[in-house]
């Protein structure tokens, strides 16, 4: 129930020895001696040798052990005192710094723990973790091939494979971004540029009033993108969803016509494949039909639900995604690539990303380099410095293969089905709805409320249950599962299943623990 501990730890590779100074006289500039490096190589090696076992023992082995706590809860004021956060003039000795490392790990939430169910990411993949170790040690930035040759090529390989899986037979383009929210922002910016290319030079004053569309269940980053890019949140027309959380296509088309009647320019729709709370999938085929009729850019936010594309059994959930103009997909979620790992892809072969975002910085993107400068992909990003987020996913994919990723997805969905069936069998538990993905949403109703008739007073009482149970589980450290209200629904638990470390026993424990923590309410 934990990552396997190695039988014997290998020593760190010794860094290059310090360079001899010889008998040269010291060179002083502004009172600073410049001969030789100032870093004590032996001291640095000693610190790394001492720190790495702490990381492996505390942040890897213990943090993924089901017998350990998910979290060691402390209030903000308590934690401030424990961590001694003040930064001072002088540095601290290595033993103190090593204790800082232990404390940081001890009081952090162990998201790799088998009973961490709180967010849309969980678990710890060893291959992805090693990939992160490598990229953190090398510390590259992905603007040009000359500084990040391996990582640019692995990013390109991953993007090409993801584009193939989406179903864009003629290919496409893409970039890894620092989060799904930024991927959705890319989509809005690229869609606007596609419709109004003069915006890059002339700005907002040259544009008509633009209107975009999204469902009421969409991620909040869509409204943030409209605000950030100057479109305005009032120009995001929200489409009603059905009782399962899916966009209603007929209502979408009505809103498109409304925008046209107002004299505005409808330019894009954001469809969601895997909503944050309910795990709903919008009807992509019908949305694509409407987009074609009205010349709209179709973006699919598949940050959460994109993982289902890896499964032959479940990819039907995203039927029609191949008709999208752009897709956001986060492998750090269902596929466990590790935070952060977020791909934004466009069904375009005309360098649209490059044309939309390029600034042609001459100190980076010289055109007379000695190699093929088409590999200098950084200018199609809105960033300059950019982390090699695709590498860990590439390394994990190489290790377990497409088949291994498919098995993870199918096991997670099977586990969600098991939990839903167990909820139906237990007194005091009630499904909000049948799960479509691995979001299992349910209420816990303590014994004191079970004989009360449904009505406003009953639901007011139920609304108060989840926050108390969540507080108790956090302070106990036994597990973490999220809760929220939703529309007119009282607070309910949202159980997310991702990690292959999660077992049937963990699902039973979840229900037993909630009952144990809430039965007296």
């Amino acid at each position: 129930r934990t990552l396997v501990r190695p039988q014997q730890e290998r020593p760190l590779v010794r860094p290059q020895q310090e360079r001899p100074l010889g008998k040269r006289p010291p060179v002083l500039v502004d009172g600073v001696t410049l001969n030789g490096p100032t870093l004590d190589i032996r001291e640095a090696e000693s610190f790394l040798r001492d720190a790495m076992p702490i990381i492996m023992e505390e942040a890897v082995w213990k943090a993924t052990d089901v017998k350990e706590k998910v979290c060691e809860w402390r209030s903000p004021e308590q934690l401030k005192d424990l961590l001694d956060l003040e930064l001072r003039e002088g540095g601290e000795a290595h033993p103190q710094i090593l204790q800082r490392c232990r404390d940081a790990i001890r009081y952090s939430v162990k998201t790799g723990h088998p009973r961490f169910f709180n967010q849309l990411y969980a678990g710890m993949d060893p291959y992805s973790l090693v990939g992160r170790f490598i990229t953190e040690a090398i510390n590259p930035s992905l603007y040009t091939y000359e500084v990040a040759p391996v990582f640019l090529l692995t990013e390109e390989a991953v993007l090409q494979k993801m584009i193939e899986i989406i179903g864009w037979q003629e290919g496409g383009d893409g970039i890894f971004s620092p989060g799904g929210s930024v991927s959705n922002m890319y989509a809005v910016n690229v869609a606007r540029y596609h419709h109004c290319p003069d915006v890059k030079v002339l700005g907002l004053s040259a544009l008509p009033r633009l209107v975009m569309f999204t469902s009421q269940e969409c991620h909040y980053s869509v409204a943030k993108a409209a605000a950030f890019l100057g479109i305005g949140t009032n120009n995001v027309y929200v489409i009603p969803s059905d009782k399962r959380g899916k966009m209603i296509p007929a209502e979408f088309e009505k809103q498109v016509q409304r925008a046209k009647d107002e004299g505005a320019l409808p330019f894009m729709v954001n469809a969601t494949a895997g909503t944050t709370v309910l795990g709903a999938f919008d009807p992509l085929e019908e949305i694509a039909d409407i987009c074609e009729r009205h010349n709209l850019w179709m973006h699919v936010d598949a940050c959460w639900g994109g993982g289902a594309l890896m499964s032959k059994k479940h990819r039907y959930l995203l039927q029609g995604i191949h008709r999208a103009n752009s897709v956001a997909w986060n492998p750090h979620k269902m596929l466990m690539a590790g935070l952060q790992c977020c791909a934004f892809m466009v069904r375009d072969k005309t360098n649209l990303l490059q044309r939309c975002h390029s600034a042609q910085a001459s100190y980076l993107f010289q055109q007379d380099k000695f190699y093929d400068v088409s590999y200098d992909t950084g200018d199609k990003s809105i960033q300059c410095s950019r982390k090699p987020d695709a590498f860990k996913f590439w390394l994990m994919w190489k290790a377990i293969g497409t088949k291994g990723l498919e098995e993870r997805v199918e096991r997670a969905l099977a586990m969600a089905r098991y939990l839903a069936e167990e909820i139906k069998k237990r007194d005091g538990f009630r499904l909000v709805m049948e799960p479509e993905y691995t979001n299992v949403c349910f209420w816990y109703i303590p014994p004191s409320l079970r004989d009360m008739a449904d009505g406003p007073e009953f639901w007011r009482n139920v609304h108060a249950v989840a926050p108390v149970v969540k507080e108790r589980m956090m302070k106990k450290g036994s597990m973490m599962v999220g809760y929220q209200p939703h529309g007119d629904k009282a607070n309910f638990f949202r159980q997310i299943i991702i990690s292959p470390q999660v077992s049937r026993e963990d699902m039973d424990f979840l229900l037993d623990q909630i009952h144990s923590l809430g039965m007296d309410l």
Side-chain angles (χ1 to χ4, degrees):
R1 301 304 315 290
T2 180
L3 292 177
V4 179
R5 189 190 305 266
Q7 294 182 352
Q8 182 175 2
E9 307 226 356
R10 295 178 181 271
L12 290 172
V13 176
R14 181 182 299 276
Q16 182 180 350
Q17 297 300 310
E18 56 266 45
R19 291 166 290 183
L21 294 179
K23 297 182 179 180
R24 291 177 293 167
V27 174
L28 295 177
V29 176
D30 295 334
V32 178
T33 301
L34 301 183
N35 290 51
T38 58
L39 175 67
D40 185 329
I41 298 295
R42 293 184 186 278
E43 186 178 6
E45 179 181 351
S46 174
F47 177 71
L48 287 170
R49 285 183 178 278
D50 291 340
M52 289 305 294
I54 294 172
I55 294 170
M56 295 304 298
E57 181 66 27
E58 303 295 329
V60 178
W61 311 129
K62 287 176 68 175
T64 57
D65 188 342
V66 74
K67 298 186 294 296
E68 299 288 338
K69 289 185 175 182
V70 177
C71 62
E72 190 76 50
W73 171 259
R74 295 292 187 277
S75 71
E77 292 308 315
Q78 289 173 322
L79 199 53
K80 287 177 185 178
D81 291 339
L82 284 167
L83 296 179
D84 183 17
L85 297 171
E86 183 182 351
L87 300 172
R88 301 178 178 88
E89 287 293 321
E92 295 179 340
H94 280 181
Q96 286 180 286
I97 298 301
L98 292 170
Q99 187 58 45
R100 304 285 185 216
C101 296
R102 292 187 187 94
D103 290 343
I105 296 169
R106 177 181 177 184
Y107 297 112
S108 291
V109 173
K110 311 307 188 294
T111 64
H113 193 285
R115 291 174 181 166
F116 175 81
F117 309 118
N118 208 66
Q119 315 299 148
L120 300 184
Y121 68 94
M124 182 182 291
D125 178 84
Y127 307 106
S128 168
L129 183 62
V130 168
R132 283 180 275 172
F133 284 165
I134 291 169
T135 55
E136 290 301 315
I138 293 177
N139 197 34
S141 182
L142 266 64
Y143 20 68
T144 61
Y145 180 83
E146 64 185 287
V147 296
V150 170
F151 303 114
L152 277 169
L153 292 179
T154 50
E155 179 178 81
E156 180 183 61
V158 169
L159 286 168
Q160 287 177 354
K161 191 65 176 179
M162 293 176 78
I163 286 168
E164 175 188 322
I165 289 169
I166 288 170
W168 291 338
Q169 295 182 356
E170 295 181 2
D173 195 8
I175 198 85
F176 273 75
S177 78
S181 294
V182 176
S183 293
N184 288 339
M185 194 174 296
Y186 267 115
V188 177
N189 200 42
V190 170
R192 179 174 64 178
Y193 178 83
H194 174 73
H195 279 272
C196 307
D198 288 344
V199 67
K200 182 175 179 179
V201 177
L202 301 179
L204 298 178
S205 61
L207 298 184
R209 176 179 159 235
L210 298 176
V211 172
M212 54 189 285
F213 308 89
T214 193
S215 84
Q216 67 187 55
E217 298 290 330
C218 77
H219 193 262
Y220 64 84
S221 60
V222 177
K224 285 196 171 190
F228 186 81
L229 293 169
I231 290 167
T233 55
N234 284 348
N235 293 316
V236 180
Y237 285 14
V238 178
I239 313 303
S241 300
D242 64 19
K243 63 182 180 179
R244 291 199 55 84
K246 300 171 180 290
M247 182 190 292
I248 302 172
E251 295 297 326
F252 168 37
E253 192 153 28
K254 286 179 186 177
Q255 292 296 320
V256 174
Q257 192 57 52
R258 170 195 161 195
K260 289 183 174 181
D261 293 344
E262 293 170 347
L265 176 62
F267 76 105
M268 76 166 289
V269 64
N270 172 77
T272 309
T275 59
T276 305
V277 177
L278 301 177
F281 290 75
D282 286 342
L284 302 183
E285 290 280 20
E286 294 172 76
I287 292 170
D289 290 341
I290 295 168
C291 289
E292 289 181 2
R293 284 198 292 271
H294 296 277
N295 189 31
L296 300 179
W297 181 279
M298 179 179 168
H299 172 65
V300 177
D301 175 359
C303 290
W304 170 224
L309 289 169
M310 304 302 298
S311 164
K312 299 180 187 71
K313 184 185 298 183
H314 299 294
R315 67 173 290 130
Y316 73 90
L317 292 167
L318 297 99
Q319 182 66 37
I321 195 171
H322 65 286
R323 299 175 65 186
N325 299 100
S326 60
V327 172
W329 178 2
N330 291 2
H332 74 237
K333 294 187 174 179
M334 177 57 74
L335 301 182
M336 291 178 58
L339 281 166
Q340 58 196 12
C341 190
C342 312
F344 173 71
M345 294 159 286
V346 292
R347 181 164 53 92
D348 172 82
K349 296 290 287 182
T350 68
N351 289 321
L352 179 62
L353 278 173
Q354 180 86 11
R355 289 184 285 116
C356 182
H357 299 128
S358 171
Q360 299 177 341
S362 61
Y363 70 95
L364 281 175
F365 304 112
Q366 305 93 332
Q367 297 303 296
D368 54 358
K369 292 181 180 180
F370 64 94
Y371 59 85
D372 182 355
V373 295
S374 67
Y375 289 99
D376 289 354
T377 58
D379 211 16
K380 63 185 178 184
S381 168
I382 60 172
Q383 300 167 253
C384 181
S385 299
R386 194 164 61 87
K387 293 180 72 66
D389 292 327
F391 177 73
K392 58 200 169 197
F393 185 35
W394 174 84
L395 192 66
M396 181 181 77
W397 202 333
K398 292 288 281 187
I400 69 173
T402 303
K403 185 64 176 175
L405 294 174
E406 180 178 34
E407 289 171 354
R408 284 185 178 179
V409 172
E410 293 184 353
R411 188 176 191 277
L413 272 95
M415 195 70 73
R417 172 49 50 202
Y418 171 82
L419 178 61
E421 293 303 316
E422 286 299 304
I423 287 170
K424 295 175 190 177
K425 298 174 186 176
R426 297 203 181 201
D427 291 339
F429 289 86
R430 188 184 301 184
L431 281 174
V432 175
M433 63 179 62
E434 290 287 339
E436 185 171 28
Y437 199 39
T438 69
N439 308 47
V440 183
C441 300
F442 63 94
W443 290 284
Y444 172 68
I445 301 164
S448 67
L449 301 179
R450 291 177 192 171
D451 294 329
M452 186 180 293
D454 278 14
E457 184 181 358
F458 171 79
W459 287 111
R460 276 196 300 271
N461 283 308
V462 170
H463 187 73
V465 171
V468 177
V469 173
K470 178 64 178 282
E471 177 184 359
R472 291 175 177 180
M473 77 171 67
M474 291 285 291
K475 290 181 175 178
K476 187 176 181 181
S478 56
M479 63 182 186
M480 281 183 66
V481 59
Y483 76 89
Q484 64 283 302
H486 193 70
D488 59 355
K489 292 181 174 63
N491 279 327
F492 56 83
F493 291 104
R494 181 199 67 168
Q495 165 74 351
I496 300 295
I497 302 164
I498 297 173
S499 172
Q501 292 169 266
V502 174
S503 69
R504 175 187 63 78
E505 289 81 3
D506 292 316
M507 299 298 96
D508 297 338
F509 176 86
L510 166 80
L511 300 180
D512 292 342
Q513 186 73 175
I514 288 176
H515 176 63
S516 175
L517 295 171
M519 61 188 298
D520 65 324
L521 297 177

